[in-house]
mmCIF file of all heavy atoms in Angstrom:
data_model
loop_
_atom_site.group_PDB
_atom_site.id
_atom_site.type_symbol
_atom_site.label_atom_id
_atom_site.label_comp_id
_atom_site.label_asym_id
_atom_site.label_seq_id
_atom_site.Cartn_x
_atom_site.Cartn_y
_atom_site.Cartn_z
ATOM 1 N N TRP H 235 7.236 2.934 -23.235
ATOM 2 C CA TRP H 235 6.945 4.036 -22.317
ATOM 3 C C TRP H 235 5.839 3.646 -21.341
ATOM 4 O O TRP H 235 5.925 3.918 -20.145
ATOM 5 C CB TRP H 235 6.510 5.285 -23.093
ATOM 6 C CG TRP H 235 7.463 5.738 -24.149
ATOM 7 C CD1 TRP H 235 8.792 5.419 -24.260
ATOM 8 C CD2 TRP H 235 7.168 6.586 -25.258
ATOM 9 N NE1 TRP H 235 9.339 6.016 -25.375
ATOM 10 C CE2 TRP H 235 8.368 6.749 -26.006
ATOM 11 C CE3 TRP H 235 6.025 7.235 -25.700
ATOM 12 C CZ2 TRP H 235 8.439 7.514 -27.165
ATOM 13 C CZ3 TRP H 235 6.077 8.010 -26.857
ATOM 14 C CH2 TRP H 235 7.280 8.140 -27.578
ATOM 15 N N ILE H 236 4.784 3.004 -21.863
ATOM 16 C CA ILE H 236 3.663 2.591 -21.016
ATOM 17 C C ILE H 236 4.107 1.504 -20.038
ATOM 18 O O ILE H 236 3.816 1.570 -18.837
ATOM 19 C CB ILE H 236 2.492 2.078 -21.882
ATOM 20 C CG1 ILE H 236 1.933 3.210 -22.747
ATOM 21 C CG2 ILE H 236 1.385 1.492 -20.996
ATOM 22 C CD1 ILE H 236 0.938 2.746 -23.790
ATOM 23 N N GLY H 237 4.815 0.510 -20.548
ATOM 24 C CA GLY H 237 5.229 -0.619 -19.710
ATOM 25 C C GLY H 237 6.179 -0.227 -18.599
ATOM 26 O O GLY H 237 6.144 -0.796 -17.503
ATOM 27 N N ASN H 239 6.186 2.500 -16.887
ATOM 28 C CA ASN H 239 5.472 3.187 -15.812
ATOM 29 C C ASN H 239 4.011 2.736 -15.756
ATOM 30 O O ASN H 239 3.096 3.547 -15.579
ATOM 31 C CB ASN H 239 5.535 4.709 -16.026
ATOM 32 C CG ASN H 239 6.927 5.269 -15.830
ATOM 33 O OD1 ASN H 239 7.396 5.405 -14.708
ATOM 34 N ND2 ASN H 239 7.594 5.589 -16.918
ATOM 35 N N SER H 240 3.799 1.434 -15.912
ATOM 36 C CA SER H 240 2.438 0.917 -16.050
ATOM 37 C C SER H 240 1.572 1.175 -14.812
ATOM 38 O O SER H 240 0.397 1.548 -14.928
ATOM 39 C CB SER H 240 2.479 -0.578 -16.358
ATOM 40 O OG SER H 240 3.224 -1.266 -15.367
ATOM 41 N N ILE H 241 2.129 0.972 -13.619
ATOM 42 C CA ILE H 241 1.351 1.177 -12.396
ATOM 43 C C ILE H 241 1.016 2.660 -12.219
ATOM 44 O O ILE H 241 -0.104 3.028 -11.855
ATOM 45 C CB ILE H 241 2.114 0.666 -11.157
ATOM 46 C CG1 ILE H 241 2.456 -0.828 -11.319
ATOM 47 C CG2 ILE H 241 1.292 0.886 -9.902
ATOM 48 C CD1 ILE H 241 1.271 -1.731 -11.476
ATOM 49 N N LEU H 242 1.991 3.519 -12.513
ATOM 50 C CA LEU H 242 1.783 4.962 -12.369
ATOM 51 C C LEU H 242 0.666 5.451 -13.283
ATOM 52 O O LEU H 242 -0.240 6.169 -12.846
ATOM 53 C CB LEU H 242 3.080 5.710 -12.672
ATOM 54 C CG LEU H 242 2.998 7.241 -12.569
ATOM 55 C CD1 LEU H 242 2.745 7.653 -11.126
ATOM 56 C CD2 LEU H 242 4.272 7.878 -13.099
ATOM 57 N N ILE H 243 0.706 5.067 -14.549
ATOM 58 C CA ILE H 243 -0.308 5.559 -15.488
ATOM 59 C C ILE H 243 -1.667 4.964 -15.158
ATOM 60 O O ILE H 243 -2.707 5.604 -15.357
ATOM 61 C CB ILE H 243 0.097 5.256 -16.957
ATOM 62 C CG1 ILE H 243 -0.793 6.043 -17.927
ATOM 63 C CG2 ILE H 243 0.052 3.777 -17.270
ATOM 64 C CD1 ILE H 243 -0.703 7.540 -17.784
ATOM 65 N N TYR H 244 -1.694 3.761 -14.619
ATOM 66 C CA TYR H 244 -2.964 3.148 -14.210
ATOM 67 C C TYR H 244 -3.614 3.980 -13.095
ATOM 68 O O TYR H 244 -4.818 4.269 -13.141
ATOM 69 C CB TYR H 244 -2.732 1.712 -13.726
ATOM 70 C CG TYR H 244 -3.987 1.031 -13.252
ATOM 71 C CD1 TYR H 244 -4.833 0.375 -14.138
ATOM 72 C CD2 TYR H 244 -4.337 1.058 -11.898
ATOM 73 C CE1 TYR H 244 -5.999 -0.240 -13.695
ATOM 74 C CE2 TYR H 244 -5.498 0.445 -11.442
ATOM 75 C CZ TYR H 244 -6.317 -0.204 -12.346
ATOM 76 O OH TYR H 244 -7.471 -0.805 -11.900
ATOM 77 N N ILE H 245 -2.817 4.350 -12.102
ATOM 78 C CA ILE H 245 -3.348 5.122 -10.976
ATOM 79 C C ILE H 245 -3.803 6.505 -11.442
ATOM 80 O O ILE H 245 -4.873 6.986 -11.055
ATOM 81 C CB ILE H 245 -2.287 5.247 -9.867
ATOM 82 C CG1 ILE H 245 -1.991 3.875 -9.268
ATOM 83 C CG2 ILE H 245 -2.746 6.199 -8.779
ATOM 84 C CD1 ILE H 245 -0.825 3.865 -8.307
ATOM 85 N N PHE H 246 -3.005 7.146 -12.296
ATOM 86 C CA PHE H 246 -3.366 8.465 -12.807
ATOM 87 C C PHE H 246 -4.664 8.407 -13.603
ATOM 88 O O PHE H 246 -5.514 9.293 -13.490
ATOM 89 C CB PHE H 246 -2.233 9.013 -13.679
ATOM 90 C CG PHE H 246 -1.278 9.902 -12.928
ATOM 91 C CD1 PHE H 246 -0.354 9.355 -12.054
ATOM 92 C CD2 PHE H 246 -1.302 11.271 -13.082
ATOM 93 C CE1 PHE H 246 0.530 10.161 -11.357
ATOM 94 C CE2 PHE H 246 -0.434 12.089 -12.380
ATOM 95 C CZ PHE H 246 0.499 11.537 -11.516
ATOM 96 N N ALA H 247 -4.810 7.360 -14.411
ATOM 97 C CA ALA H 247 -5.987 7.252 -15.281
ATOM 98 C C ALA H 247 -7.243 6.852 -14.525
ATOM 99 O O ALA H 247 -8.349 6.975 -15.048
ATOM 100 C CB ALA H 247 -5.715 6.239 -16.399
ATOM 101 N N HIS H 248 -7.095 6.372 -13.288
ATOM 102 C CA HIS H 248 -8.249 5.933 -12.499
ATOM 103 C C HIS H 248 -8.570 6.904 -11.369
ATOM 104 O O HIS H 248 -8.870 6.501 -10.248
ATOM 105 C CB HIS H 248 -8.012 4.516 -11.952
ATOM 106 C CG HIS H 248 -8.228 3.444 -12.970
ATOM 107 N ND1 HIS H 248 -7.323 3.199 -13.984
ATOM 108 C CD2 HIS H 248 -9.258 2.561 -13.153
ATOM 109 C CE1 HIS H 248 -7.788 2.204 -14.731
ATOM 110 N NE2 HIS H 248 -8.944 1.812 -14.257
ATOM 111 N N PHE H 253 -7.703 13.162 -17.302
ATOM 112 C CA PHE H 253 -7.158 13.255 -18.657
ATOM 113 C C PHE H 253 -8.208 13.728 -19.663
ATOM 114 O O PHE H 253 -7.887 14.423 -20.626
ATOM 115 C CB PHE H 253 -6.610 11.889 -19.102
ATOM 116 C CG PHE H 253 -5.314 11.516 -18.451
ATOM 117 C CD1 PHE H 253 -5.272 10.603 -17.414
ATOM 118 C CD2 PHE H 253 -4.124 12.086 -18.878
ATOM 119 C CE1 PHE H 253 -4.072 10.258 -16.816
ATOM 120 C CE2 PHE H 253 -2.912 11.761 -18.282
ATOM 121 C CZ PHE H 253 -2.892 10.836 -17.238
ATOM 122 N N ILE H 284 -1.676 12.702 -24.579
ATOM 123 C CA ILE H 284 -1.222 13.327 -23.327
ATOM 124 C C ILE H 284 -0.505 12.302 -22.449
ATOM 125 O O ILE H 284 0.563 12.574 -21.884
ATOM 126 C CB ILE H 284 -2.424 13.933 -22.568
ATOM 127 C CG1 ILE H 284 -3.013 15.093 -23.360
ATOM 128 C CG2 ILE H 284 -2.004 14.402 -21.173
ATOM 129 C CD1 ILE H 284 -4.379 15.529 -22.876
ATOM 130 N N GLN H 285 -1.092 11.130 -22.346
ATOM 131 C CA GLN H 285 -0.483 10.084 -21.521
ATOM 132 C C GLN H 285 0.882 9.669 -22.071
ATOM 133 O O GLN H 285 1.847 9.517 -21.321
ATOM 134 C CB GLN H 285 -1.419 8.883 -21.437
ATOM 135 C CG GLN H 285 -2.684 9.158 -20.648
ATOM 136 C CD GLN H 285 -3.637 7.979 -20.622
ATOM 137 O OE1 GLN H 285 -3.510 7.052 -21.419
ATOM 138 N NE2 GLN H 285 -4.602 8.011 -19.731
ATOM 139 N N LEU H 286 0.957 9.468 -23.383
ATOM 140 C CA LEU H 286 2.230 9.066 -23.989
ATOM 141 C C LEU H 286 3.290 10.146 -23.820
ATOM 142 O O LEU H 286 4.461 9.848 -23.543
ATOM 143 C CB LEU H 286 2.031 8.748 -25.472
ATOM 144 C CG LEU H 286 1.226 7.490 -25.791
ATOM 145 C CD1 LEU H 286 1.052 7.332 -27.303
ATOM 146 C CD2 LEU H 286 1.902 6.244 -25.219
ATOM 147 N N GLY H 288 3.464 12.335 -21.392
ATOM 148 C CA GLY H 288 3.881 12.322 -19.995
ATOM 149 C C GLY H 288 4.813 11.171 -19.669
ATOM 150 O O GLY H 288 5.809 11.339 -18.960
ATOM 151 N N LEU H 289 4.506 9.990 -20.203
ATOM 152 C CA LEU H 289 5.343 8.816 -19.946
ATOM 153 C C LEU H 289 6.713 8.962 -20.601
ATOM 154 O O LEU H 289 7.730 8.585 -20.020
ATOM 155 C CB LEU H 289 4.635 7.557 -20.465
ATOM 156 C CG LEU H 289 3.363 7.168 -19.697
ATOM 157 C CD1 LEU H 289 2.598 6.087 -20.444
ATOM 158 C CD2 LEU H 289 3.702 6.705 -18.292
#
Side-chain angles (χ1 to χ4, degrees):
W235 305 341
I236 295 170
N239 291 285
S240 55
I241 302 300
L242 179 66
I243 193 61
Y244 178 86
I245 294 172
F246 266 75
H248 282 74
F253 286 103
I284 294 166
Q285 292 177 344
L286 291 177
L289 292 169

